[in-house]
Amino acid sequence: MDYKAFVEEKISEIRKAVGDGIAINALSGGVDSSVVTALGHRALGDRLKTVFIDSALMREGEPQQVHDAFADMCIPVDVVDARADFLAALAGLTDPEEKRNAVTNTFYRTVFGRLVRESGATYLLHGTILTDIEETVAGIKRQHNILAQLGIDPKEEYGYHVLEPLAELRKDGVREVAKVLGLPHKISERIPFPGPALATRIVGEVTEKRLDLVRAATVVVEEELASTEAFQYFAVLLEDKATGIRNGQREFGDIVVVRCIHSVDAREATPVELPWETLHRVCQRIVSLNGVNRCLYDLTPKPPATIEYI
Ligand code: XMP
């Protein structure tokens, strides 16, 4: 495919569709929504309003890093602090599907739905890619209809339009478009990070304290394992606890799992055979985090495990 021509074509399609209207999009910092943001901005300039929703579930410094990466490209991003909404929606939930639903509903209905209405935008730019559509059709993914997710009935509420400029591309194509658009390498080659973010890496209840712990463990794993160039590497906080001993005192502490996998398309995965030296270093740093006294390395391939823990 001629990706330069693709970019020009999409810019002109977005301009034509939106006319002199206003569009809005939600940026997560992932490659799909980043490409949509850059394309939309080239097409519409400041008539595209881009929001980054801070859900409290992001990695260390992520809202600011995403904001700054786009500011460097002269693309303004509004960081919306919705941490309290997400923490309230997740309080008391331990079932994985209930947790995922809480994050999705809070994102689309409570927060983004409100922002769309307040913005006066009638066009939504969305980073749906071909794989999302195929997986929805095959019943692997839940329905991907963004208006329905926003609680907007297009029949009742006239005037809302969804534009999905990446709907004919797969991930490798999106990365090519990212390069044409001049997005930095750290965005175009970013390791996959799930929509429900750190909530997929906490077994049991998601609280501010447990998020802080998994966030700190994620920093360690990302720093230590970046050089593996594995498909994904991250930390998970278990619900179980284990007895340990620290400063001569027994303590009933937290257990953190480290996962590092090879994969091509996330449908299958195998654990990376990390050197003992690396594993020991990671372990030592993880058990120095407050209250953690066990660090485990996950050797399970997918299948039967999934990549994430919820
Ligand atoms: P699993 O855990 O199902 O993950 O083996 C497969 C790949 O998908 C990512 N993942 C998600 N990505 N929204 C996303 O955008 C989600 O809800 C979600 N759940 C899992 C996961 O990180 C892995 O790369």
Side-chain angles (χ1 to χ4, degrees):
M1 188 190 272
D2 179 347
Y3 290 104
K4 268 196 177 145
F6 175 90
V7 165
E8 293 311 320
E9 188 188 310
K10 291 298 157 187
I11 289 174
S12 106
E13 277 177 24
I14 295 169
R15 272 193 196 135
K16 210 163 141 200
V18 178
D20 53 10
I22 296 173
I24 186 167
N25 80 310
L27 169 67
S28 70
V31 63
D32 304 343
S33 67
S34 293
V35 165
V36 164
T37 301
L39 266 181
H41 194 79
R42 286 232 189 144
L44 304 172
D46 59 10
R47 283 183 300 113
L48 173 66
K49 185 176 160 60
T50 298
V51 294
F52 178 99
I53 295 171
D54 181 356
S55 60
L57 309 174
M58 307 309 287
R59 287 168 293 183
E60 185 68 39
E62 201 162 7
Q64 195 61 43
Q65 282 162 19
V66 174
H67 171 276
D68 293 353
F70 279 84
D72 287 346
M73 296 181 275
C74 298
I75 298 179
V77 174
D78 256 1
V79 177
V80 178
D81 181 359
R83 289 176 294 179
D85 291 303
F86 284 85
L87 290 170
L90 284 161
L93 302 184
T94 53
D95 178 78
E97 279 306 298
E98 284 180 18
K99 283 158 66 181
R100 279 176 170 272
N101 285 337
V103 175
T104 307
N105 290 337
T106 307
F107 188 92
Y108 286 107
R109 297 211 169 198
T110 315
V111 184
F112 193 43
R114 172 173 56 78
L115 293 169
V116 170
R117 289 187 178 87
E118 285 173 2
S119 71
T122 48
Y123 289 84
L124 299 174
L125 262 57
H126 199 235
T128 316
I129 66 171
L130 186 55
T131 323
D132 298 328
I133 297 168
E134 285 170 345
E135 290 186 350
T136 302
V137 172
I140 299 167
K141 240 183 206 157
R142 267 172 291 163
Q143 186 54 33
H144 221 89
N145 179 340
I146 183 171
L147 284 180
Q149 283 177 328
L150 289 172
I152 292 170
D153 179 351
K155 281 195 206 113
E156 272 177 32
E157 307 203 38
Y158 257 92
Y160 280 106
H161 305 274
V162 179
L163 303 176
E164 296 178 321
L166 311 182
E168 62 207 78
L169 300 179
R170 292 182 193 283
K171 199 62 106 187
D172 52 340
V174 181
R175 291 196 208 283
E176 293 303 321
V177 175
K179 283 184 212 152
V180 172
L181 288 167
L183 293 178
H185 191 261
K186 64 174 185 259
I187 291 177
S188 64
E189 303 305 320
R190 195 173 95 136
I191 58 171
F193 187 60
L198 295 178
T200 61
R201 294 167 185 181
I202 293 178
V203 183
E205 190 182 5
V206 176
T207 62
E208 214 166 348
K209 189 162 169 245
R210 304 190 81 218
L211 277 165
D212 285 344
L213 182 50
V214 86
R215 193 177 287 119
T218 303
V219 170
V220 171
V221 174
E222 292 194 350
E223 277 177 14
E224 295 290 347
L225 303 186
S227 61
T228 62
E229 296 185 4
F231 183 82
Q232 258 177 303
Y233 37 88
F234 54 87
V236 177
L237 176 59
L238 296 187
E239 193 171 23
D240 275 344
K241 295 208 169 208
T243 299
I245 188 150
R246 199 187 301 269
N247 304 327
Q249 299 281 328
R250 283 166 77 86
E251 71 174 8
F252 201 45
D254 286 309
I255 308 172
V256 169
V257 175
V258 175
R259 187 129 170 89
C260 178
I261 49 113
H262 285 305
S263 180
V264 177
D265 53 14
R267 281 190 282 206
E268 292 182 346
T270 49
V272 177
E273 290 195 26
L274 294 174
W276 277 109
E277 208 182 301
T278 308
L279 286 168
H280 281 300
R281 213 172 39 241
V282 172
C283 175
Q284 229 157 27
R285 288 186 63 187
I286 297 271
V287 296
S288 70
L289 299 172
N290 205 11
V292 182
N293 63 19
R294 306 262 165 156
C295 176
L296 316 180
Y297 186 53
D298 185 347
L299 295 180
T300 330
K302 174 182 180 177
T306 52
I307 294 176
E308 306 291 346
Y309 269 55
I310 76 155

